[in-house]
Amino acid sequence: MRSIHSVGIGFALLALGCSFGSDDEVEDTFLLEADADTDADSDSDTDSDSDSDADSDADSDADSDADSDADSDADSDADADPCEPTASEITYGSLSKSDVNFGTPTNNSGIGRLISNTPGTNESASVNIEITDAVVSAVASNGDFWIQDKNGGFRTFGLGDYGLTPGNKVTMTVTTIFNYYGLPEITEVSSISATSGSKVTFIDGTTNGVDISNLSEVVWAWGEITAKQGECGSGFDCFDYSYGSNVTTLRAETDDGLQIGDCVQVAGPVDQYDADPRYNAALNGYFVNTY
């Protein structure tokens, strides 16, 4: 069902029942009594034939109408998806349509080296990896940000707030990577600078679906809240989110006020937390909009 409220949060970045009435087939039975009077038999036959024809016509018309109505209703209902947004309802957080690409980035900023040097779960690795012009794909309210290139996505944690927005390009020297329960994070850098003016590339989750191979890449999707899992971290709730033919966990701020049945657009990175299976390829809703 469509919700009538709209909510945006700190990211600067879905069964219809149809019943078919079966046509009742009516069988007309005529009992003819023997009569010595030939005229009476003739009259009786004539009346019987006339009534039978009339009934047959009436049944035929009724059946035709019923079938036509039922088929028409069924086709119409099956094609409709109550959560598919109209063109005017589609939003991308703080970004306009002209700021967004869908698909896979084409630039190589060095993220592949970060991925290949990620240590084991809950371990830290000292590195010296230069990242050049990586596009910022998402920014959290505390300043943590995500970057992407053709090799994949990566997030930062605890670096501070550099005032970045999606579409900025960052150059930095990464000195420490930490693997937080299956989620690699840049936790220390020796230098960082930024420029502006690049488009942000989203994965179309509703069309393509997502899995753990999309870790830390930003997904845009529309769908429906189908169940509430409960609290998952201070100030956050987790939900079953149905989008396209997929169902995954959506983690959103409690203040968003999401309810079962809400139609929701999400733009956020794919998350992971090995200690809780709900987080396997979960969507981290840094931008959530109900419509």
Side-chain angles (χ1 to χ4, degrees):
M1 83 181 97
R2 291 185 181 262
S3 170
I4 60 173
H5 60 287
S6 178
V7 181
I9 67 172
F11 176 55
L13 150 243
L14 287 347
L16 293 177
C18 294
S19 61
F20 294 86
S22 60
D23 299 320
D24 294 329
E25 181 179 347
V26 178
E27 178 179 307
D28 293 324
T29 303
F30 298 89
L31 299 179
L32 304 181
E33 296 186 32
D35 197 304
D37 190 331
T38 303
D39 292 337
D41 288 342
S42 175
D43 292 342
S44 176
D45 291 343
T46 301
D47 293 341
S48 175
D49 291 341
S50 175
D51 291 344
S52 178
D53 290 342
D55 290 342
S56 175
D57 291 343
D59 290 343
S60 176
D61 292 344
D63 290 344
S64 175
D65 291 343
D67 291 343
S68 175
D69 292 343
D71 291 343
S72 175
D73 292 344
D75 292 343
S76 175
D77 290 346
D79 293 341
D81 189 320
C83 279
E84 183 171 4
T86 64
S88 62
E89 290 172 328
I90 293 176
T91 54
Y92 305 109
S94 65
L95 301 173
S96 65
K97 185 176 181 179
S98 61
D99 296 324
V100 174
N101 282 328
F102 283 92
T104 303
T106 58
N107 65 307
N108 184 0
S109 62
I111 292 177
R113 293 187 61 199
L114 295 177
I115 295 172
S116 62
N117 282 276
T118 296
T121 300
N122 296 330
E123 295 182 355
S124 179
S126 296
V127 296
N128 184 20
I129 298 175
E130 188 73 16
I131 301 298
T132 305
D133 287 341
V135 177
V136 175
S137 53
V139 181
S141 57
N142 65 356
D144 290 346
F145 60 94
W146 285 254
I147 55 176
Q148 284 182 216
D149 69 10
K150 70 177 185 178
N151 301 294
F154 222 88
R155 71 161 293 164
T156 69
F157 181 81
L159 297 184
D161 191 346
Y162 289 90
L164 300 173
T165 60
N168 286 162
K169 292 190 290 188
V170 295
T171 295
M172 57 187 173
T173 301
V174 178
T175 57
T176 305
I177 301 173
F178 185 75
N179 185 335
Y180 183 71
Y181 289 95
L183 181 64
E185 302 170 335
I186 298 169
T187 54
E188 292 184 26
V189 297
S190 62
S191 63
I192 185 169
S193 61
T195 59
S196 60
S198 181
K199 289 189 175 185
V200 177
T201 300
F202 290 168
I203 296 171
D204 186 343
T206 302
T207 300
N208 302 314
V210 297
D211 57 33
I212 201 62
S213 68
N214 303 118
L215 187 62
S216 290
E217 297 177 349
V218 174
V219 172
W220 178 88
W222 57 265
E224 180 180 1
I225 301 296
T226 55
K228 184 174 181 179
Q229 299 175 4
E231 183 178 330
C232 51
S234 178
F236 290 86
D237 289 321
C238 280
F239 303 87
D240 286 350
Y241 181 56
S242 177
Y243 60 106
S245 60
N246 313 285
V247 178
T248 193
T249 294
L250 170 62
R251 183 173 187 256
E253 291 187 4
T254 302
D255 289 345
D256 288 338
L258 298 183
Q259 303 292 327
I260 295 173
D262 280 350
C263 294
V264 178
Q265 291 177 71
V266 175
V270 178
D271 219 344
Q272 174 73 359
Y273 182 60
D274 286 343
D276 189 335
R278 294 179 301 178
Y279 283 88
N280 183 29
L283 292 179
N284 201 333
Y286 278 107
F287 170 76
V288 176
N289 179 63
T290 57
Y291 57 99

